[in-house]
Amino acid sequence: MGSAWLAGGAFTASPGAVHTSGVWHSPDTNVRVVRDGTVHAVVAGVCRSDAAAVRRVARAVAAGRTEKATSLGGSYWLIVHDDDAQRTVVAGDLAESRGVFTAATDRGPVWATDAALLAKQLGHSPDLPLLAARITIGSAEHWPDRSVWEGVQRVPGGQALVLDHGTARTVDVRPRPDGRTIKTGAAEVGEALWTAVQGYARDAGPLVSADLSGGLDSSTVVMPPPR
């Protein structure tokens, strides 16, 4: 994702930052804005859904159905702001490859997609005890809500950040169980995987390479061939 970043809340942007619909971002971050009356959504990352789908999701999130924030296809950040309620919902993806971080300031909560960016602005140092613990344990899973910077909190995967009248909290946005069987669910996972691969392939161009590993931690990689 390079130097692309997003930020908001009580964020003080540095020279050169761009302000789009209440969200600060780097000049090389492509954002899309979709409006529906007093509700507007900012989308960044890889989201192939059209404006109508984003609008439906934004309305649902603004109405309190925050789990809908991750229902669009792709890997993206979604920020939904409701002017009437003065509430903002910031969500990354369920895999947390699009992370969100937050911190408290004397001007209210601040958030960004880059923890180091927040730490630099707030003058916070690395959390050395946590870094030592991570090195010892070899994993960050034991501290899902902590970043490696003092005073900068991480929004765990499967949760979204809600900014509401000067307060910040996280809410669960993981899909709810709906009674589907393993057989039905497996078929739907296969269909979703096929759709995702096809979507990335179409975006990459006429010639692509798609590789699916066969291990327990299987992953799919789709890329254009070397030129």
Side-chain angles (χ1 to χ4, degrees):
M1 287 176 276
S3 59
W5 56 264
L6 305 166
F11 185 78
T12 302
S14 58
V18 181
H19 195 248
T20 303
S21 252
V23 175
W24 289 101
H25 59 89
S26 58
D28 58 349
T29 304
N30 292 322
V31 301
R32 180 160 48 124
V33 180
V34 177
R35 298 184 179 277
D36 182 47
T38 61
V39 174
H40 67 263
V42 176
V43 186
V46 180
C47 177
R48 292 184 297 276
S49 298
D50 60 17
V54 175
R55 194 173 291 112
R56 287 194 298 271
V57 166
R59 283 198 300 262
V61 171
R65 300 172 62 193
T66 49
E67 72 277 4
K68 290 294 183 181
T70 58
S71 63
L72 298 169
S75 174
Y76 56 87
W77 288 288
L78 175 70
I79 300 94
V80 175
H81 180 72
D82 185 341
D83 289 336
D84 286 342
Q86 286 299 298
R87 182 172 57 247
T88 302
V89 178
V90 184
D93 60 3
L94 293 174
E96 209 179 341
S97 58
R98 308 280 179 179
V100 177
F101 301 87
T102 185
T105 75
D106 56 4
R107 295 177 291 112
V110 61
W111 66 267
T113 59
D114 185 337
L117 181 67
L118 285 185
K120 180 179 180 181
Q121 181 175 122
L122 301 175
H124 291 182
S125 303
D127 189 335
L128 297 181
L130 179 61
L131 284 169
R134 284 192 177 186
I135 293 171
T136 302
I137 301 298
S139 171
E141 295 177 358
H142 298 284
W143 306 276
D145 60 346
R146 292 177 63 180
S147 78
V148 296
W149 299 93
E150 292 181 350
V152 177
Q153 299 300 307
R154 167 182 161 197
V155 178
Q159 296 189 28
L161 180 69
V162 178
L163 305 175
D164 190 3
H165 293 90
T167 65
R169 57 189 173 89
T170 57
V171 294
D172 194 334
V173 294
R174 290 173 294 182
R176 303 292 189 266
D178 55 12
R180 282 176 289 185
T181 65
I182 292 180
K183 182 178 180 180
T184 302
E188 293 185 11
V189 167
E191 182 180 351
L193 178 60
W194 174 260
T195 300
V197 171
Q198 288 294 306
Y200 283 114
R202 284 192 295 270
D203 291 343
L207 296 175
V208 298
S209 170
D211 301 299
L212 175 65
S213 72
L216 295 176
D217 59 345
S218 297
S219 59
T220 302
V221 177
V222 178
M223 64 189 74
R227 298 182 183 278

